């Protein structure tokens, strides 16, 4: 399991697999043969565990080469499975005293998988030498057999985060970065109803360890911290303030402390909502993202948007100014602040929203529209500043009372086929049947053609409640023959659908 990948090139591998070349290929060959040679007996299990792979072969992701066999027996419900486990366990406990480190490690792994996290071997293994610790870590972390770990494991796991333990694992040549990641994942699975304060303390400790900080950062980037919450305790706020002060010292030098940015980002992600942290983030927002990767902004933006209503007018105005800053990952937080400004100040700031290329301007207004739609206290004066196309694109699940006027206005103002198609597509996706009248008027009064795509979009807008209006158009209200024929096909398709008897989105 260590960094010594060269062990796989020993003569025993050459002798058993003479035609297999390469470390990964050898590992697969060893595992595939073990699976093919499974024997459902105590002797078969022990033979699998006593395999030729040394315990310090990093090519193998698991302590044992056939973990599926171990788990199948551990989870087996038949008497035969229980008998195999009982008989093999007697011999495996003898292996614990064996001078062969590999056999001892595999025996410890298997026994923990059999008994579970409450086994006395968990405590003794975690307190033992690095190879025993790794056996227990793998046994608890591998697979889904133990999705939740008891809080009693916290005091046993916490020493693994100490600088001394990290150094022992590194110097002992029995661990790699995957083992540190497994340790972090164990903490994420501690039951939430107990020991939460200690879990939070563990994470604060881990943030100060160079080995674990990037691992936590990777967990955050992959969304594996999404279910974890940490209260903004005085200790957390103090640590956040200390990091923010360090970043401010680097302002003139233009060299941000990347370690502190990672620490503060992780704290922001774990807390999610807090007035003190949000206000402090506003004060250093210009230092994050401008000189680091845009992805580092994400947890700070989520903290600010989650805490936006806890900010005062001055913080909102300062945050809203970032609407025109790069990188654009700041936009969600800046837009959430902008829509909450006094209308006069929002209008003054919005005069700069048209700066830049067309794509940049559209993204800026879309962020503003989304923030407006997401805020229950939305202001009509702010909506009047936002282009209707942006509002329509940001409708989401907004109620029809809000969506219908926007869509009807867009339909009546459509000057070309692209603008008509955009408005109809949004209305069609929402099944806003009450806007069909505006669509029919547009098709009657202007020479827009109805192509196949537009015809398909008309179908969700039609139903029994507006069938008579559509038939009037088909009968001659619409002066264009091709449009009358398209409307007839769309109506027939709509009435043929089982859902055509349902209600519209506005009802």
């Amino acid at each position: 399991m260590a960094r010594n990948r060269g062990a796989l090139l020993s003569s025993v591998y050459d002798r058993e697999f003479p035609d297999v070349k390469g470390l990964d290929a050898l590992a697969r060959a060893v595992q595939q043969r073990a699976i093919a040679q499974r024997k459902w007996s105590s002797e078969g299990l022990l033979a699998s565990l006593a395999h030729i792979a040394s315990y310090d072969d990093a090519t193998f992701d698991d302590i044992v080469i056939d973990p599926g066999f171990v788990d199948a027996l551990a989870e087996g419900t038949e008497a035969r499975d229980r008998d195999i486990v009982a008989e093999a366990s007697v011999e495996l406990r003898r292996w614990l005293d064996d001078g062969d480190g590999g056999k001892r490690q595999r025996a410890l792994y298997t026994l923990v998988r059999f008994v579970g996290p409450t086994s006395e071997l968990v405590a003794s293994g975690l307190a033992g030498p690095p190879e025993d610790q790794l056996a227990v870590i793998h046994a608890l972390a591998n697979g889904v057999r133990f999705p939740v770990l008891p809080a009693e494991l916290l005091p046993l796991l916490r020493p693994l985060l100490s600088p001394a333990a990290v150094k022992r694992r590194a110097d002992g040549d029995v661990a790699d970065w995957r083992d540190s990641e497994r340790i972090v994942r164990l903490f994420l699975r501690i039951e939430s109803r107990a020991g939460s304060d200690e879990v939070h303390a563990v994470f604060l400790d881990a943030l100060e360890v160079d080995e674990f900080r990037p691992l936590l950062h990777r967990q955050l980037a992959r969304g594996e911290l999404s279910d974890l919450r940490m209260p903004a305790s005085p200790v957390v706020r103090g640590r956040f303030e200390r990091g923010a002060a360090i970043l401010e010292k680097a302002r003139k030098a233009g060299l941000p402390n990347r370690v502190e940015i990672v620490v503060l980002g992780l704290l922001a992600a774990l807390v999610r909502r807090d007035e003190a942290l949000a206000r402090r983030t506003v004060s250093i927002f210009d230092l994050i993202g401008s000189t680091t990767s845009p992805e580092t902004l994400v947890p700070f933006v989520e903290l600010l948007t989650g805490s936006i209503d806890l900010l005062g007018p001055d913080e909102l105005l300062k945050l809203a100014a970032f609407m025109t800053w790069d990188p654009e990952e700041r936009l969600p937080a800046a837009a959430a602040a902008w829509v909450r400004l006094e209308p006069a100040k929002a209008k003054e700031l919005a005069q700069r929203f048209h700066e830049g290329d067309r794509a940049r301007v559209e993204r800026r207004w879309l962020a503003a529209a989304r923030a407006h739609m997401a805020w229950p206290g939305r202001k009509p004066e702010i909506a009047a500043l936002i282009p209707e196309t942006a509002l329509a694109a940001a409708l989401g699940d907004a109620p029809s009372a809000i969506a219908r006027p926007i869509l009807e206005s867009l339909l009546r103002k459509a000057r070309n086929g692209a603008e008509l198609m955009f408005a109809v597509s949004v209305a069609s996706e929402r099944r806003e049947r009450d806007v069909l009248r505006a669509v029919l008027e547009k098709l009657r009064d202007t020479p827009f053609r109805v192509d196949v795509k537009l015809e398909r979009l008309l179908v969700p807008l039609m139903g029994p409640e507006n069938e008579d209006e559509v038939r009037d158009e088909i009968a001659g209200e619409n002066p264009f023959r091709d449009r009358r024929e398209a409307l007839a096909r769309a109506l027939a398709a709509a009435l043929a659908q089982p859902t055509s008897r349902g209600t519209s989105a506005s009802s």
Side-chain angles (χ1 to χ4, degrees):
M1 283 305 306
R3 303 175 179 85
N4 182 21
R5 295 170 64 90
L8 276 174
L9 299 180
S10 62
S11 59
V12 64
Y13 288 96
D14 293 336
R15 184 171 61 253
E16 303 240 2
F17 302 96
D19 298 326
V20 179
K21 305 300 180 183
L23 299 177
D24 293 335
L26 279 170
R28 286 194 300 271
V30 172
Q31 292 169 326
Q32 289 169 359
R33 188 180 70 172
I35 294 172
Q37 294 179 350
R38 280 182 186 175
K39 293 181 180 179
W40 219 261
S41 65
S42 174
E43 294 78 9
L45 173 63
L46 294 172
S48 173
L49 296 174
H51 55 69
I52 62 175
S54 171
Y55 75 94
D56 57 0
D57 284 338
T59 302
F60 295 100
D61 291 332
D62 294 285
I63 296 290
V64 301
I65 59 173
D66 192 0
F69 190 14
V70 175
D71 283 351
L73 288 170
E75 299 166 5
T77 58
E78 297 182 7
R80 180 192 63 171
D81 300 329
R82 293 192 295 269
D83 291 343
I84 293 174
V85 168
E87 184 177 347
S89 295
V90 174
E91 180 63 21
L92 290 174
R93 286 189 176 270
R94 295 194 185 101
W95 285 17
L96 296 177
D97 299 322
D98 197 293
D100 185 328
K103 289 180 67 176
R104 186 176 67 252
Q105 193 181 45
R106 293 191 288 271
L108 183 55
Y109 168 94
T110 305
L111 289 169
V112 172
R113 293 298 283 178
F114 284 167
V115 181
T118 59
S119 169
E120 83 284 358
L121 295 174
V122 172
S124 61
L126 291 177
E131 58 267 23
D132 288 1
Q133 292 176 359
L134 290 180
V136 175
I137 291 168
H138 278 246
L140 296 177
N142 183 13
V144 295
R145 181 160 165 72
F146 314 123
V148 178
L149 298 177
E152 290 74 14
L153 288 184
L154 272 172
L156 302 175
L157 292 170
R158 190 167 185 176
L160 300 179
L161 294 176
S162 70
V166 172
K167 188 176 186 303
R168 278 198 307 273
R169 286 195 298 275
D171 293 345
D173 199 28
V174 293
D176 59 19
W177 67 267
R178 290 171 297 185
D179 296 313
S180 297
E181 190 165 0
R182 289 182 179 99
I183 295 172
V184 171
R185 287 179 178 174
L186 291 181
F187 286 105
L188 297 178
R189 288 164 46 212
I190 296 291
E191 57 182 339
S192 58
R193 62 180 177 83
S196 58
D197 290 342
E198 191 169 356
V199 171
H200 299 153
V202 165
F203 270 89
L204 288 175
D205 289 348
L207 291 178
E208 309 301 338
V209 179
D210 290 340
E211 181 181 9
F212 287 102
R213 190 184 307 111
L215 295 176
L216 286 169
H217 194 248
R218 282 197 292 270
Q219 299 281 349
L220 173 65
R222 290 198 292 258
E224 295 185 27
L225 301 181
S226 58
D227 294 331
L228 190 66
R229 296 290 186 275
M230 179 183 290
S233 66
V235 175
V236 170
R237 288 177 175 174
R239 182 62 184 88
F240 199 92
E241 173 58 35
R242 177 157 62 92
I246 292 174
L247 290 183
E248 285 187 322
K249 289 181 180 179
R251 185 187 297 274
K252 293 183 179 179
L255 298 172
N257 188 307
R258 296 179 185 276
V259 169
E260 291 303 316
I261 289 179
V262 170
V263 171
L264 298 190
L266 284 162
L267 291 177
L270 295 172
V271 171
R272 301 295 177 87
R273 175 180 169 85
D274 180 71
E275 179 179 350
L277 266 60
R279 288 186 171 185
R280 198 64 175 99
T281 298
V282 172
S283 70
I284 59 172
F285 207 36
D286 62 317
L287 299 175
I288 308 167
S290 297
T291 52
T292 56
S293 64
E295 293 77 15
T296 60
L297 280 163
V298 173
F300 297 99
V301 168
E302 292 177 349
L303 170 69
L304 289 171
T305 54
S307 311
I308 197 70
D309 289 317
L310 303 177
L311 299 177
D314 291 340
E315 286 93 5
L316 289 176
L317 184 58
K318 185 174 182 178
L319 184 56
F322 286 96
M323 284 290 290
T324 56
W325 280 51
D326 287 330
E328 295 182 352
E329 280 76 8
R330 290 191 177 98
L331 280 177
W338 179 76
V339 300
R340 287 165 170 79
L341 296 179
E342 289 299 318
K345 294 190 176 191
K347 184 176 181 179
E348 180 182 352
L349 187 58
Q351 293 175 359
R352 299 176 51 197
F353 288 3
H354 294 284
E355 297 175 358
D357 58 61
R358 179 177 178 180
R360 181 185 296 260
V361 170
E362 289 179 350
R363 289 193 294 270
R364 192 176 292 148
W365 280 118
L366 180 59
R370 285 172 173 164
H372 172 73
M373 290 297 176
W375 185 33
R378 59 183 74 90
K379 302 174 183 178
E381 302 93 334
I382 298 297
L385 299 173
I386 303 173
E388 288 181 328
T389 52
L391 290 172
L395 283 174
D397 58 356
S400 288
I402 294 175
R404 191 186 314 123
I406 295 172
L407 293 173
E408 289 177 341
S409 177
L410 282 175
L411 287 165
R412 294 190 174 104
K413 293 177 182 177
R415 297 163 298 177
N416 53 54
E419 292 179 354
L420 177 65
M421 182 71 73
F422 170 75
V424 174
S425 64
V426 175
S428 179
E429 183 178 359
R430 293 176 52 89
R431 301 182 68 84
E432 292 284 352
R433 291 177 176 174
D434 285 345
V435 307
L436 181 63
R437 182 178 288 107
V439 177
L440 296 177
E441 291 174 359
K442 201 69 177 177
L443 294 177
R444 183 192 318 140
D445 297 337
T446 57
F448 287 111
R449 296 188 62 83
V450 182
D451 58 17
V452 175
K453 185 175 180 180
L454 181 59
E455 183 178 320
R456 285 199 299 265
L457 292 174
L458 293 175
V459 175
L461 299 179
M462 297 181 179
E465 67 270 35
N466 51 31
E467 179 181 354
D468 291 343
E469 290 182 73
V470 179
R471 292 198 182 280
D472 288 343
E473 295 293 314
I474 296 170
E477 288 292 328
N478 191 301
F480 302 99
R481 177 181 175 182
D482 61 329
R483 256 144 283 186
R484 294 196 301 269
E485 293 175 347
L487 290 172
R489 290 191 298 269
L491 179 62
L495 296 179
Q497 294 179 355
T499 57
S500 65
R501 302 301 171 185
T503 58
S504 72
S506 61
S507 57

